[in-house]
Amino acid sequence: MNKGFPSRELRIIPVPVPGDIKPGDDLAGKLLQALKHQGISLIVGDILVVKHKIVSKSEGRLVDLEQIRPSVSSQKWARRYKLDPRVTELALSQSQRVVRRKQGVLITQTHHGLVCANSGVDVSNVDGGRHALLLPKDPDRSALQLHRKLKKNLKLSIPVIISDSFGRPWREGLTEVAIGVAGMKPLHDYRHQRDPYGYALRVSIDAIADELACASGLLCGKLTRTPACIVRGFPYRRGRGRASELVRPAKRDLFR
């Protein structure tokens, strides 16, 4: 018998959103309309995970690549690795530091503190290559605004996670990470608790928001036109959480 650790069933419910999101669109309204169309109702305990692209699009974070004038350095780098120099230039402009630049891969730290490829600048699933899409200016604030609008419309406190696809050191492939959080604690601290064998945990802090983002990423794919998912059945911890809490401070970063 599994005493003290009841089994739980989680559900991941996809939320397809018809059409495209445009600058100035009411994202909360669009999502609520999509839920109604699918016959889905948000209930107490649900968590809404939203891909950052629809958030960035609604906030007008589009950049016309024709307006970007790449530097000589960006042109040389792009020419060497058959890249678009305008995207390279834009990625550098969105960074506070370059972490690694090798073999055609540009890893930067964004102004948000996120470490990712090309500062999160993306051209896929935008408009065929004419524009690039930036990360939300303040993903935590974007999550909070969406959280508040849902609460106003539904009279329910629905946590919101904004996610993006990141690569990882030492691992192939992409996974989702939480870049914006509102309405829940992004970390669960298990330190000083005891495991089933009585051992006192010392360093166990789970990145819950990242784990939920990853779970939703199984359905919110790049080619599925499903930019949002509902996670149902997870016992999250309420609170004024922010995704910025997931960013490790420089003084504790062993790789700087």
Side-chain angles (χ1 to χ4, degrees), residues 88-133:
T88 299
E89 188 69 23
L90 190 55
L92 291 171
S93 74
Q94 296 298 305
S95 71
Q96 59 172 295
R97 72 182 178 104
V98 174
V99 177
R100 188 73 164 168
R101 186 169 179 164
K102 188 175 182 180
Q103 297 177 352
V105 179
L106 176 63
I107 304 297
T108 62
Q109 183 175 28
T110 71
H111 299 298
H112 321 84
L114 302 169
V115 175
C116 55
N118 289 333
S119 303
V121 174
D122 206 344
V123 182
S124 66
N125 286 313
V126 181
D127 60 3
R130 298 187 304 276
H131 289 79
L133 193 65

Coordinates of all heavy atoms in Angstrom, one line a residue, residues 88-133:
T88 N 20.0 37.0 -36.6 CA 21.2 37.1 -35.7 C 21.3 38.4 -35.1 O 21.5 38.6 -33.9 CB 22.5 36.7 -36.5 OG1 22.4 35.4 -37.0 CG2 23.7 36.8 -35.6
E89 N 21.2 39.5 -35.9 CA 21.3 40.8 -35.4 C 20.2 41.1 -34.4 O 20.4 41.7 -33.3 CB 21.2 41.8 -36.5 CG 21.4 43.3 -36.1 CD 22.9 43.5 -35.7 OE1 23.8 42.7 -36.2 OE2 23.1 44.5 -35.0
L90 N 19.0 40.7 -34.7 CA 17.8 40.9 -33.8 C 18.0 40.1 -32.5 O 17.7 40.6 -31.4 CB 16.5 40.4 -34.5 CG 15.2 40.7 -33.8 CD1 15.1 42.2 -33.5 CD2 14.1 40.2 -34.6
A91 N 18.6 38.9 -32.5 CA 18.8 38.1 -31.3 C 19.8 38.8 -30.4 O 19.7 38.8 -29.2 CB 19.3 36.7 -31.7
L92 N 20.9 39.3 -31.0 CA 21.9 40.1 -30.3 C 21.3 41.3 -29.6 O 21.6 41.6 -28.5 CB 23.1 40.4 -31.1 CG 23.9 39.3 -31.6 CD1 24.9 39.7 -32.7 CD2 24.6 38.6 -30.5
S93 N 20.4 42.0 -30.3 CA 19.8 43.2 -29.7 C 18.9 42.9 -28.5 O 18.6 43.7 -27.7 CB 19.0 43.9 -30.8 OG 17.7 43.2 -31.1
Q94 N 18.4 41.6 -28.5 CA 17.5 41.2 -27.4 C 18.2 40.5 -26.2 O 17.6 40.0 -25.3 CB 16.4 40.2 -28.0 CG 15.5 40.8 -29.0 CD 14.7 41.9 -28.4 OE1 14.0 41.8 -27.4 NE2 14.7 43.1 -29.1
S95 N 19.6 40.5 -26.3 CA 20.3 39.8 -25.3 C 21.0 40.8 -24.4 O 21.3 41.9 -24.7 CB 21.4 38.9 -26.0 OG 22.4 39.7 -26.6
Q96 N 21.3 40.3 -23.2 CA 22.2 41.1 -22.3 C 23.6 40.6 -22.2 O 24.5 41.3 -21.8 CB 21.6 41.1 -20.8 CG 21.4 39.8 -20.2 CD 21.0 39.9 -18.7 OE1 21.8 40.4 -17.9 NE2 19.8 39.5 -18.4
R97 N 23.8 39.3 -22.7 CA 25.1 38.8 -22.8 C 25.1 37.5 -23.7 O 24.0 36.9 -23.8 CB 25.7 38.4 -21.5 CG 25.1 37.2 -20.8 CD 25.8 36.9 -19.5 NE 25.2 35.7 -18.8 CZ 25.8 34.5 -18.7 NH1 27.0 34.4 -19.3 NH2 25.2 33.6 -18.1
V98 N 26.2 37.3 -24.4 CA 26.3 36.1 -25.2 C 26.9 35.0 -24.4 O 28.0 35.2 -23.9 CB 27.1 36.4 -26.5 CG1 27.4 35.1 -27.3 CG2 26.5 37.4 -27.4
V99 N 26.2 33.9 -24.2 CA 26.7 32.8 -23.4 C 27.7 31.9 -24.2 O 28.7 31.5 -23.7 CB 25.6 32.0 -22.9 CG1 26.1 30.8 -22.0 CG2 24.6 32.8 -22.0
R100 N 27.3 31.6 -25.4 CA 28.1 30.7 -26.3 C 27.8 31.0 -27.7 O 26.6 31.2 -28.1 CB 27.8 29.3 -26.0 CG 28.7 28.3 -26.6 CD 30.1 28.2 -26.0 NE 30.8 27.0 -26.3 CZ 32.1 26.9 -26.1 NH1 32.8 27.9 -25.5 NH2 32.7 25.8 -26.5
R101 N 28.8 31.0 -28.6 CA 28.6 31.3 -30.0 C 29.6 30.4 -30.8 O 30.8 30.6 -30.8 CB 28.9 32.7 -30.3 CG 28.6 33.2 -31.7 CD 28.7 34.7 -31.8 NE 28.4 35.1 -33.2 CZ 28.2 36.4 -33.5 NH1 28.1 37.3 -32.5 NH2 27.9 36.8 -34.7
K102 N 29.0 29.3 -31.3 CA 29.9 28.3 -31.9 C 29.1 27.4 -32.8 O 27.9 27.1 -32.6 CB 30.5 27.4 -30.8 CG 31.6 26.4 -31.3 CD 32.2 25.7 -30.1 CE 33.4 24.8 -30.6 NZ 34.0 24.1 -29.4
Q103 N 29.7 27.0 -34.0 CA 29.1 26.1 -35.0 C 27.7 26.5 -35.4 O 26.8 25.7 -35.6 CB 29.1 24.7 -34.4 CG 30.5 24.2 -34.1 CD 30.5 22.8 -33.5 OE1 29.5 22.2 -33.1 NE2 31.7 22.2 -33.4
G104 N 27.5 27.8 -35.5 CA 26.2 28.3 -36.0 C 25.2 28.4 -35.0 O 24.0 28.8 -35.3
V105 N 25.5 28.1 -33.7 CA 24.5 28.2 -32.6 C 24.9 29.4 -31.8 O 26.0 29.6 -31.3 CB 24.6 26.9 -31.8 CG1 23.6 27.1 -30.6 CG2 24.2 25.7 -32.6
L106 N 23.9 30.3 -31.5 CA 24.0 31.4 -30.7 C 23.2 31.3 -29.5 O 22.0 31.3 -29.5 CB 23.6 32.7 -31.5 CG 23.6 34.0 -30.8 CD1 25.0 34.4 -30.4 CD2 23.0 35.1 -31.6
I107 N 23.8 31.1 -28.3 CA 23.2 31.0 -27.0 C 23.3 32.3 -26.3 O 24.5 32.8 -26.1 CB 23.7 29.8 -26.2 CG1 23.6 28.5 -27.0 CG2 22.9 29.7 -24.9 CD1 22.3 28.1 -27.3
T108 N 22.3 32.9 -25.9 CA 22.3 34.2 -25.2 C 21.5 34.2 -23.9 O 20.7 33.3 -23.7 CB 21.7 35.3 -26.1 OG1 20.3 35.0 -26.3 CG2 22.5 35.4 -27.4
Q109 N 21.8 35.2 -23.1 CA 20.9 35.4 -21.9 C 20.1 36.7 -22.3 O 20.6 37.7 -22.6 CB 21.7 35.7 -20.7 CG 20.8 35.9 -19.5 CD 21.6 36.0 -18.2 OE1 22.8 36.5 -18.2 NE2 21.0 35.6 -17.1
T110 N 18.8 36.5 -22.2 CA 17.9 37.6 -22.6 C 17.8 38.6 -21.5 O 18.3 38.4 -20.4 CB 16.5 37.1 -22.9 OG1 15.9 36.7 -21.6 CG2 16.5 35.9 -23.8
H111 N 17.1 39.7 -21.7 CA 16.9 40.8 -20.7 C 16.1 40.3 -19.6 O 16.1 40.8 -18.5 CB 16.3 42.0 -21.4 CG 17.1 42.6 -22.4 ND1 18.4 43.1 -22.2 CD2 16.9 42.8 -23.8 CE1 18.9 43.6 -23.3 NE2 18.1 43.4 -24.3
H112 N 15.3 39.2 -19.8 CA 14.5 38.6 -18.7 C 15.4 37.7 -17.8 O 14.9 37.3 -16.8 CB 13.4 37.7 -19.3 CG 12.7 38.2 -20.5 ND1 13.2 37.9 -21.8 CD2 11.6 38.8 -20.7 CE1 12.4 38.5 -22.7 NE2 11.4 39.0 -22.0
G113 N 16.6 37.3 -18.3 CA 17.5 36.4 -17.5 C 17.4 35.0 -18.1 O 18.1 34.1 -17.6
L114 N 16.6 34.8 -19.1 CA 16.5 33.4 -19.7 C 17.7 33.1 -20.6 O 18.2 34.0 -21.4 CB 15.2 33.3 -20.5 CG 13.9 33.6 -19.8 CD1 12.8 33.8 -20.8 CD2 13.6 32.5 -18.8
V115 N 18.2 31.9 -20.5 CA 19.3 31.5 -21.3 C 18.7 30.5 -22.4 O 18.2 29.5 -22.1 CB 20.4 30.8 -20.5 CG1 21.5 30.2 -21.5 CG2 21.0 31.7 -19.5
C116 N 18.9 30.9 -23.7 CA 18.2 30.2 -24.7 C 18.9 30.5 -26.1 O 19.7 31.4 -26.1 CB 16.7 30.4 -24.8 SG 16.3 32.2 -25.0
A117 N 18.5 29.8 -27.1 CA 19.1 30.1 -28.4 C 18.4 31.3 -29.0 O 17.2 31.6 -28.9 CB 18.8 28.9 -29.4
N118 N 19.3 32.2 -29.6 CA 18.8 33.4 -30.4 C 17.9 34.3 -29.6 O 17.0 34.9 -30.1 CB 18.0 33.0 -31.6 CG 19.0 32.4 -32.7 OD1 20.2 32.8 -32.7 ND2 18.5 31.5 -33.5
S119 N 18.1 34.3 -28.2 CA 17.3 35.2 -27.4 C 15.8 34.9 -27.5 O 14.9 35.8 -27.2 CB 17.5 36.7 -27.7 OG 18.9 37.0 -27.5
G120 N 15.4 33.7 -27.9 CA 14.0 33.4 -28.1 C 13.4 34.0 -29.3 O 12.2 33.8 -29.6
V121 N 14.2 34.6 -30.2 CA 13.6 35.2 -31.4 C 13.3 34.0 -32.4 O 14.1 33.1 -32.6 CB 14.7 36.1 -32.1 CG1 14.2 36.5 -33.5 CG2 15.0 37.3 -31.2
D122 N 12.0 34.1 -32.9 CA 11.6 32.9 -33.7 C 10.9 33.4 -35.0 O 10.3 34.5 -35.0 CB 10.5 32.1 -32.9 CG 10.4 30.7 -33.3 OD1 10.9 30.4 -34.4 OD2 9.9 29.9 -32.6
V123 N 11.1 32.6 -36.0 CA 10.5 33.0 -37.3 C 9.4 31.9 -37.7 O 8.6 32.2 -38.6 CB 11.6 33.1 -38.4 CG1 11.0 33.5 -39.8 CG2 12.6 34.1 -38.0
S124 N 9.5 30.7 -37.1 CA 8.5 29.7 -37.5 C 7.1 30.0 -36.9 O 7.0 30.7 -35.9 CB 9.0 28.3 -36.9 OG 9.0 28.3 -35.5
N125 N 6.1 29.6 -37.6 CA 4.7 29.8 -37.2 C 4.4 31.2 -37.0 O 3.7 31.6 -36.0 CB 4.4 29.0 -35.9 CG 4.3 27.5 -36.2 OD1 3.6 27.1 -37.1 ND2 5.0 26.7 -35.4
V126 N 5.0 32.1 -37.8 CA 4.7 33.5 -37.7 C 3.9 34.0 -39.0 O 2.7 34.1 -39.0 CB 5.9 34.4 -37.5 CG1 5.6 35.9 -37.4 CG2 6.7 33.9 -36.2
D127 N 4.6 34.2 -40.1 CA 4.0 34.5 -41.3 C 4.8 34.1 -42.5 O 4.7 34.8 -43.6 CB 3.6 36.0 -41.4 CG 4.9 36.9 -41.3 OD1 6.0 36.4 -41.2 OD2 4.7 38.2 -41.2
G128 N 5.5 33.1 -42.4 CA 6.3 32.6 -43.5 C 7.7 33.2 -43.7 O 8.3 32.9 -44.8
G129 N 8.1 33.9 -42.8 CA 9.5 34.5 -42.8 C 9.6 36.0 -43.0 O 10.7 36.5 -43.0
R130 N 8.5 36.7 -43.1 CA 8.6 38.1 -43.3 C 8.9 38.8 -42.0 O 9.5 39.9 -41.9 CB 7.3 38.7 -43.9 CG 7.0 38.1 -45.3 CD 5.8 38.8 -46.0 NE 4.6 38.7 -45.2 CZ 3.8 37.7 -45.2 NH1 4.1 36.6 -46.0 NH2 2.7 37.7 -44.4
H131 N 8.3 38.3 -40.9 CA 8.5 38.9 -39.6 C 9.1 37.9 -38.6 O 8.9 36.6 -38.8 CB 7.1 39.3 -39.0 CG 6.6 40.5 -39.7 ND1 5.9 40.4 -40.9 CD2 6.5 41.8 -39.4 CE1 5.5 41.6 -41.3 NE2 5.9 42.5 -40.4
A132 N 9.8 38.4 -37.6 CA 10.3 37.5 -36.5 C 9.4 37.9 -35.3 O 8.9 39.0 -35.2 CB 11.7 37.8 -36.3
L133 N 9.3 37.0 -34.4 CA 8.5 37.1 -33.2 C 9.5 37.2 -32.0 O 10.3 36.3 -31.8 CB 7.5 36.0 -33.0 CG 6.4 36.2 -32.0 CD1 5.5 37.4 -32.4 CD2 5.6 34.9 -31.9

